[in-house]
Amino acid sequence: MKFLVMTGDGIGPEIVQEAKKVLAAIEARGLMEFECVEALFGGAAYLKTGRAFPEKTVEICDGAD
């Protein structure tokens, strides 16, 4: 399963890292496999690209489960 990870406003990197640990624990038990793809969103995206929801992020969203 392909997950899109968007660390944006209100969901900081510390929350995302903990969620990734949960997915890793599920994988370790052999229950599922995950692919995590990261993309810019929110304030971080705006500062880097001038858009809060850049087109590249839209494309990555379209390719995620």
Side-chain angles (χ1 to χ4, degrees), residues 8 13-14 18 20 54 61:
E14 65 282 355
E18 294 305 311
K20 285 181 171 181
C61 286

Side-chain angles (χ1 to χ4, degrees), residues 15-61:
I15 304 288
V16 171
Q17 291 298 10
E18 294 305 311
K20 285 181 171 181
K21 288 179 187 177
V22 172
L23 296 177
I26 292 169
E27 282 187 319
R29 289 188 170 90
L31 300 174
M32 287 186 88
E33 289 185 23
F34 301 102
E35 177 186 356
C36 291
V37 180
E38 297 194 27
L40 289 173
F41 183 73
Y46 184 80
L47 291 174
K48 190 164 185 176
T49 69
R51 296 186 63 202
F53 193 29
E55 188 60 36
K56 174 104 173 134
T57 298
V58 173
E59 292 171 13
I60 294 171
C61 286

